Amino acid sequence: MKKIIQLLLVATAGLATASFVGCASHSMSKSTTNSITSAPFGTMPDGTAVQIYTLRNTHGLEARILTYGGILQSLLVPDRTGKLGDVVLGYDHLQGYLDKTPYFGALIGRYGNRIGGAKFTLEGQTYTLATNNGPNSLHGGIKGFDKVVWSAKTFVSPEGPELILAYYSRDGEEGFPGNLMVTAIYTLTDDNELKLQYSATTDKPTVVNLTHHSYFNLTGQPNTDILGHIVYINSDETTPVDAGLITTGEFKSVAGTPFDFRTPTAIGARINDPDVVLQYGPGYDHNWVINKPFGQYGLMARVTDPSSGRVMEVWSDEPGLQFYAGNFLDGTITGKYGAVYKIHDAFCMEPQHYPDSPNKPNFPTTELKPGEKYHNTIVYKFSAE
Ligand code: GLA
């Protein structure tokens, strides 16, 4: 309800293109104010203008987000000495994102992760999706929500600056049924959280699984690998996959396996363990079943970088967490600050429903029916120790 009121306020105040200019300083002093400003960030091949929005909270944290793909282009957070560092991978220019991106920082939909065989059946009808990952559909297809320009409005709520993105996905887009109206609200809160709240409605039964795909490196030095980052995952079980990274439908205890992060452990400690399912990654690229009641908001994971002291917690009301260790980064991308992104130079934490749920009747459903409202909150919360 709060969000609806905010949206109405934004609409009635005609703030679609307004900028809230606060102090542009990156200092850590409490004197900075919440602000959100915008600037041009290039043009799509069809002439559509892309904007970049800069959100700042009163602690000096800064998030820069594109209307293209809702991409988090940079995220400045303090280390243990208060020094700000950019903790996400990405490009300086739009062209990089248009040419080649493994979903850097993007909003992911309609279906985050894989749908096996790029097919599913809903209410007796089989839908065939675009294949973009071998025979499977990955992250919404060839042109998923990461590759479209979202409309934007801004707002400064008591929580912090907000960017309200909206996208209307037409019936049949990438093979998915139903006209889907999607809203994604990014808030940079004064609790040093980057909060993403999705909502969606449809006019036909469909499947929806939205997530966020930032590549984090908490050192703030994208040339340093993340193998020394310490990870805790609030999970007793994973959903094992086959060689094509499609879930088998089973659940497996993490006990005695390299997937056990109930005791905080370095990412690199067991990443080369011969565990067959781990090596399908190769390395971490799996879904953890989070220990909390279905639909309840709670802590999923905590990642600490011992070198900088930065800590990132992941909170969500989603049932699963895809933890990906940047296994496919291969040195072929040069990103911001001229950094060449090599294997394990970043990790992703993607709260979501379990992969291939539309074909796994024993998994929590991802079906959305007309009259229902999809909702999903993802929070990345930063501190230092
Ligand atoms: C997700 C997938 C990975 C990979 C990346 C993008 O995390 O699970 O297998 O596709 O996205 O490269």
Side-chain angles (χ1 to χ4, degrees), residues 10 13-21 35-39 51-54 152-156 162-163:
V10 169
L15 296 178
T17 55
S19 295
F20 297 83
V21 184
S35 69
I36 179 162
T37 57
S38 69
Q51 292 290 115
I52 185 162
Y53 284 83
T54 303
K153 297 180 192 302
T154 62
F155 189 71
V156 178
E162 295 192 344
L163 176 63

Side-chain angles (χ1 to χ4, degrees), residues 123 172 227 273 366:
E123 308 211 336
L227 296 175
D273 187 284
T366 49

Side-chain angles (χ1 to χ4, degrees), residues 209-365:
N209 187 29
L210 309 177
T211 190
H212 176 84
H213 212 299
S214 272
Y215 283 71
F216 296 100
N217 183 322
L218 300 182
T219 65
Q221 314 282 335
N223 285 120
T224 317
D225 70 52
I226 47 75
L227 296 175
H229 285 40
I230 309 292
V231 169
Y232 160 77
I233 303 180
N234 177 21
S235 167
D236 296 334
E237 286 181 327
T238 57
T239 51
V241 289
D242 64 19
L245 296 179
I246 301 299
T247 46
T248 59
E250 301 156 286
F251 293 92
K252 189 173 178 211
S253 166
V254 297
T257 78
F259 295 98
D260 191 346
F261 283 97
R262 295 174 297 186
T263 301
T265 307
I267 295 176
R270 299 163 302 179
I271 201 165
N272 295 318
D273 187 284
D275 181 287
V276 173
V277 174
L278 177 64
Q279 291 315 325
Y280 285 150
Y284 298 109
D285 189 1
H286 300 80
N287 171 62
W288 275 254
V289 174
I290 301 303
N291 294 333
K292 59 183 180 60
F294 185 72
Q296 187 173 303
Y297 181 74
L299 178 68
M300 294 196 143
R302 189 169 195 269
V303 187
T304 308
D305 166 37
S307 66
S308 68
R310 290 192 183 91
V311 178
M312 183 178 85
E313 288 180 356
V314 185
W315 293 71
S316 177
D317 44 24
E318 289 294 293
L321 177 72
Q322 185 84 7
F323 163 41
Y324 169 58
N327 312 320
F328 300 131
L329 295 174
D330 60 2
T332 56
I333 288 178
T334 302
K336 292 181 286 182
Y337 321 110
V340 175
Y341 298 144
K342 301 173 305 304
I343 184 165
H344 309 316
D345 277 352
F347 67 94
C348 302
M349 290 280 180
E350 309 159 51
Q352 56 184 19
H353 273 248
Y354 312 155
D356 201 29
S357 293
N359 294 308
K360 300 285 160 20
N362 61 326
F363 285 177
T365 184

Side-chain angles (χ1 to χ4, degrees), residues 21-238:
V21 184
C23 176
S25 160
H26 287 176
S27 98
M28 289 303 297
S29 105
K30 249 300 207 183
S31 62
T32 51
T33 54
N34 283 318
S35 69
I36 179 162
T37 57
S38 69
F41 195 76
T43 308
M44 297 292 291
D46 71 357
T48 307
V50 173
Q51 292 290 115
I52 185 162
Y53 284 83
T54 303
L55 291 71
R56 292 196 185 98
N57 76 4
T58 61
H59 304 290
L61 273 73
E62 182 196 281
R64 288 164 62 87
I65 300 167
L66 309 183
T67 51
Y68 177 69
I71 289 170
L72 179 66
Q73 189 264 346
S74 83
L75 181 62
L76 301 182
V77 303
D79 67 7
R80 64 165 71 89
T81 68
K83 193 171 144 241
L84 294 175
D86 187 353
V87 296
V88 294
L89 271 48
Y91 288 107
D92 289 312
H93 304 289
L94 180 63
Q95 199 57 46
Y97 292 103
L98 296 177
D99 288 346
K100 180 178 180 179
T101 172
Y103 307 94
F104 286 141
L107 299 179
I108 302 291
R110 291 190 192 189
Y111 198 94
N113 214 292
R114 294 169 178 79
I115 296 182
K119 270 190 176 46
F120 66 95
T121 301
L122 201 56
E123 308 211 336
Q125 193 166 339
T126 297
Y127 296 94
T128 302
L129 308 171
T131 56
N132 63 337
N133 182 248
N136 310 314
S137 167
L138 176 66
H139 294 333
I142 293 165
K143 190 178 176 190
F145 293 175
D146 58 299
K147 294 186 183 63
V148 300
V149 178
W150 295 62
S151 65
K153 297 180 192 302
T154 62
F155 189 71
V156 178
S157 82
E159 269 194 298
E162 295 192 344
L163 176 63
I164 302 158
L165 299 172
Y167 178 63
Y168 185 68
S169 174
R170 300 220 167 260
D171 187 12
E173 192 173 286
E174 296 294 321
F176 291 97
N179 290 300
L180 193 75
M181 186 63 226
V182 191
T183 306
I185 304 175
Y186 279 108
T187 310
L188 188 62
T189 77
D190 268 336
D191 287 334
N192 291 352
E193 302 164 329
L194 182 69
K195 174 152 75 166
L196 173 58
Q197 289 170 284
Y198 277 115
S199 54
T201 53
T202 182
D203 60 359
K204 271 189 198 171
T206 190
V207 293
V208 184
N209 187 29
L210 309 177
T211 190
H212 176 84
H213 212 299
S214 272
Y215 283 71
F216 296 100
N217 183 322
L218 300 182
T219 65
Q221 314 282 335
N223 285 120
T224 317
D225 70 52
I226 47 75
L227 296 175
H229 285 40
I230 309 292
V231 169
Y232 160 77
I233 303 180
N234 177 21
S235 167
D236 296 334
E237 286 181 327
T238 57

